[in-house]
Amino acid sequence: MTFGLASRKTHPKVPRLHGEGGKSHLTSIEGLAALSLDALSSVAYGPEAIVVTLVAAGSGAITAALPITLVIAGLLGVLVISYCQVIAVHPDGGGAYAVAKKDLGTRVSLLAAASLVVDYTLTVAVSLAAGAASLASAFPPLAHHLLLICMIGLALLTAVNLRGVADSARALMLPMVLFVVSVLGVVIVGLLRTHPAAAVGTNQSVHVTQALSVLLVLKSFSAGCSALTGVEAIANAVPMFRTPRVKRAQATELMLGMLLGVMLIGLSVLIRRYHVAPRGGVTLLAQLTAAAYGTGWAYYATNLLVTLVLGLAANTSFGGLPVLMSLLAKDHRLPHLLALRAERPVHRYGVVALALLSLALLIAVGGDTQRLIPLFAIGVFIGFTISQVGLVRHWTKLRPDGWVVRAVINGTGAMLSAVAGIVLLATKFLAGAWVVVLAVPLMMLLFARIERYYTAVGAELMLGRIPPPPSETTSLVIVPLGEVSKVAERAITAARSLSGEVVVVAVHSDPAKADAMRAAWEQWNPGVRLDIIDSPHHSLIHPVVDYVERAARDNRQVAVLIPQVEPRHRRYRILQNQRGILLATVLSARCDVIVCLLPYHLSL
């Protein structure tokens, strides 16, 4: 301020709390880390699923992996374009659920929601189980503790996401970048080499069990489409992005599509060039890594990084499913608690719900990846198909400029994703996919029953209608007390400020104590009636509840004011009588009365 030369701040800057402003929301790059690891990490098992299916027709059939991958990449392009459209049409998130609710009706929207909930839960379980299995491959003594490893990983992911999605994105940024660079490095270095640098794994004899038929190609296509899981997560979590949310979410979706497409096609080219077939003890990606980098430090670093990213891929569900649950809660199809948000822009109850569902699933299968794989990816193809069909309906209803091209793109995507889903379901039904077929309708029934309950509650409470005018009634305040003390003086003073009619109720099992209290009351004479209830069974709660129920029968508004002693230090709370809280709980459950807790704070 010297000589008037210093700059002056006419608008002082007020520090923001967590969740205010844009810092707790996602940028496009952060969204890629938080919501796309599931899709990006699928290159670790998508190409391998294609080759494992094709090798049933002999090692020569592996050459068909590249054209199949090109078709999958084309489907990926259609899905990316479609979900960019979904983001623009439904900026509040929800993906396939939001599209179905708007354009396809209630039942289809319930199907979309149920399939997405199942798929997101399976994504968490499969990612953690695959990461644990990969870690156990590098360190064999851990093979007997897979479930424990999964539970530790789940606890860490839950803790990070409870702090906020932006915090989890920053934690995942470095692993994502290193993973993408490593896989692209495998592709580039592998293409530059004239022959593989090294071979890993043990030879396996190939048994030809069928010819290279259309059905086998369809099976391989549907198996490879598991690499597309997670593409919809960005459209489900648009509210997590910073403004302008739509543009940032669309940019993230496009980046995901380009990176995933390049990696899938590049790895398939290497598979065809080196004629890579399944070998014992190693994954297909590990073989390609050894072919490009050799078996030095880069090989081990890449494999450990793949293990880490597979485990962290579960974070995609933590970004998408809580938002979807909040939309379902707002539509009265899940408990309203799931719609609440904390200070930071995170639905913490949704995060906890997802963690508990995933934990139950992991415990049920013992952390075994192979028991989860048959259930995986079916739900997401249901969502893919529904979102595509919904967009076709959307364009045919509105008919904006260029709607025919958009409808054709979405229709093609719907057809391809429906074929992949049907083949996937048919080939994996007996292997465990029947669980998904059973779980999805049950979840739809749950959503419908919850919605029916909220509808009935709304009708009984006359929500949305004008209720009758309030009636004038006499009020009575009942104060449960045990003895004459300063707490009694404070409680009676508060009660008399609420109503002119106050009754103090005391429960005693010892006649001598009852007589002593009656004498002390007459000596004190606070101007309030005292009713003493005899309780020979040493019960306190039920006599008071019965007294309150009788008092409330005369069409009077009854309030029960319960004094509760509160120590200043928490360590002393266990030493205090908690009957007041228990009495308040029972009264709230059994009586239509006002229940008030009056804290008396001690200095100790």
Side-chain angles (χ1 to χ4, degrees):
M1 304 294 285
T2 307
F3 304 112
L5 298 178
S7 60
R8 299 181 180 181
K9 295 181 180 180
T10 56
H11 300 287
K13 187 175 181 180
V14 179
R16 286 174 170 154
L17 299 174
H18 289 303
E20 294 183 336
K23 288 187 177 181
S24 294
H25 290 78
L26 298 172
T27 63
S28 296
I29 300 297
E30 290 173 346
L32 195 64
L35 302 172
S36 302
L37 276 183
D38 176 26
L40 293 175
S41 65
S42 64
V43 299
Y45 50 80
E48 184 168 9
I50 298 174
V51 174
V52 168
T53 306
L54 287 175
V55 81
S59 58
I62 295 176
T63 56
L66 181 57
I68 291 173
T69 303
L70 291 175
V71 175
I72 293 174
L75 176 57
L76 172 64
V78 172
L79 290 174
V80 167
I81 293 173
S82 298
Y83 277 108
C84 284
Q85 295 169 348
V86 171
I87 291 168
V89 175
H90 300 282
D92 293 330
Y97 171 71
V99 174
K101 186 178 70 171
K102 180 177 180 292
D103 297 308
L104 298 178
T106 300
R107 290 186 179 179
V108 181
S109 68
L110 292 178
L111 174 61
S115 62
L116 286 174
V117 170
V118 170
D119 181 69
Y120 274 134
T121 305
L122 281 167
T123 296
V124 174
V126 169
S127 299
L128 290 173
S134 182
L135 186 62
S137 299
F139 303 99
L142 299 177
H144 301 291
H145 307 286
L146 293 181
L147 180 58
L148 178 61
I149 296 171
C150 292
M151 293 172 68
I152 293 173
L154 179 61
L156 291 175
L157 280 174
T158 304
V160 171
N161 280 276
L162 286 175
R163 285 187 54 83
V165 67
D167 291 316
S168 67
R170 296 183 190 106
L172 299 175
M173 188 88 70
L174 182 61
M176 180 205 69
V177 172
L178 292 176
F179 173 78
V180 172
V181 170
S182 298
V183 175
L184 291 179
V186 169
V187 173
I188 295 172
V189 176
L191 291 176
L192 293 177
R193 288 187 180 276
T194 56
H195 56 84
V200 292
T202 57
N203 286 321
Q204 290 182 331
S205 57
V206 177
H207 301 284
V208 179
T209 58
Q210 56 184 300
L212 184 61
S213 59
V214 174
L215 179 59
L216 184 62
V217 171
L218 286 175
K219 287 182 179 179
S220 180
F221 169 74
S222 62
C225 282
S226 60
L228 302 180
T229 56
V231 173
E232 78 292 344
I234 297 169
N236 287 333
V238 179
M240 295 293 186
F241 286 87
R242 297 184 188 179
T243 53
R245 291 174 181 169
V246 170
K247 290 185 178 180
R248 290 186 186 274
Q250 288 176 333
T252 305
E253 190 76 55
L254 291 173
M255 285 190 291
L256 167 62
M258 288 187 291
L259 287 174
L260 182 56
V262 169
M263 289 191 292
L264 286 175
I265 294 174
L267 293 175
S268 295
V269 170
L270 288 183
I271 291 171
R272 180 166 184 160
R273 182 175 184 180
Y274 294 142
H275 202 72
V276 178
R279 293 170 67 92
V282 293
T283 63
L284 209 69
L285 182 58
Q287 292 185 60
L288 296 176
T289 304
Y293 294 148
T295 55
W297 67 268
Y299 170 78
Y300 289 102
T302 301
N303 279 282
L304 287 175
L305 193 59
V306 169
T307 300
L308 175 63
V309 170
L310 277 171
L312 296 177
N315 194 75
T316 298
S317 294
F318 282 100
L321 186 56
V323 176
L324 176 63
M325 284 182 167
S326 72
L327 294 177
L328 286 167
K330 291 176 182 177
D331 292 336
H332 314 300
R333 292 170 176 173
L334 277 180
H336 290 168
L337 186 69
L338 295 172
L340 300 178
R341 292 203 320 177
E343 287 180 347
R344 299 166 184 247
V346 57
H347 299 88
R348 289 182 174 172
Y349 294 106
V351 170
V352 172
L354 174 58
L356 293 177
L357 289 173
S358 304
L359 178 62
L361 186 57
L362 285 168
I363 293 174
V365 301
D368 185 0
T369 309
Q370 297 306 316
R371 296 175 64 183
L372 291 168
I373 290 298
L375 315 179
F376 194 46
I378 294 175
V380 74
F381 280 105
I382 297 175
F384 284 165
T385 305
I386 290 174
S387 65
Q388 304 299 304
V389 173
L391 282 177
V392 171
R393 182 77 177 273
H394 175 78
W395 301 131
T396 53
K397 284 167 59 178
L398 296 183
R399 302 198 174 195
D401 294 337
W403 71 273
V404 176
V405 176
R406 298 178 185 178
V408 169
I409 293 174
N410 297 139
T412 303
M415 181 183 66
L416 291 175
S417 58
V419 169
I422 292 171
V423 174
L424 196 65
L425 180 60
T427 55
K428 294 185 177 182
F429 185 82
L430 295 179
W434 61 269
V435 176
V436 177
V437 176
L438 182 63
V440 169
L442 289 177
M443 198 162 292
M444 292 174 63
L445 179 63
L446 175 65
F447 295 155
R449 292 295 298 270
I450 292 175
E451 185 177 14
R452 189 183 309 167
Y453 166 79
Y454 279 127
T455 301
V457 170
E460 185 172 340
L461 298 180
M462 299 183 65
L463 298 179
R465 292 182 293 167
I466 302 299
S471 58
E472 294 185 3
T473 59
T474 58
S475 61
L476 169 67
V477 178
I478 300 174
V479 183
L481 289 174
E483 56 188 340
V484 176
S485 65
K486 191 174 181 180
V487 175
E489 180 269 330
R490 172 83 176 275
I492 293 174
T493 301
R496 296 182 71 171
S497 68
L498 299 175
S499 174
E501 186 178 2
V502 177
V503 176
V504 172
V505 178
V507 179
H508 286 289
S509 57
D510 186 354
K513 290 185 178 180
D515 293 338
M517 182 171 182
R518 189 176 289 108
W521 193 265
E522 292 176 355
Q523 181 180 357
W524 183 30
N525 191 21
V528 173
R529 189 176 89 235
L530 171 66
D531 287 344
I532 296 181
I533 303 174
D534 182 31
S535 178
H537 300 292
H538 301 276
S539 175
L540 169 67
I541 305 299
H542 293 293
V544 175
V545 172
D546 292 339
Y547 183 93
V548 172
E549 286 181 335
R550 289 194 300 271
R553 291 173 185 170
D554 301 330
N555 284 331
R556 287 190 299 179
Q557 182 63 62
V558 175
V560 182
L561 185 66
I562 305 171
Q564 180 72 19
V565 176
E566 296 286 347
R568 187 178 66 178
H569 299 288
R570 291 187 177 181
R571 62 179 179 270
Y572 294 138
R573 288 187 180 179
I574 194 173
L575 303 177
Q576 291 297 323
N577 193 330
Q578 302 298 323
R579 291 180 181 175
I581 297 176
L582 180 59
L583 176 60
T585 303
V586 176
L587 284 171
S588 299
R590 288 184 49 179
C591 306
D592 292 330
V593 298
I594 301 171
V595 180
C596 308
L597 279 173
L598 178 66
Y600 185 92
H601 295 286
L602 298 174
S603 60
L604 300 178

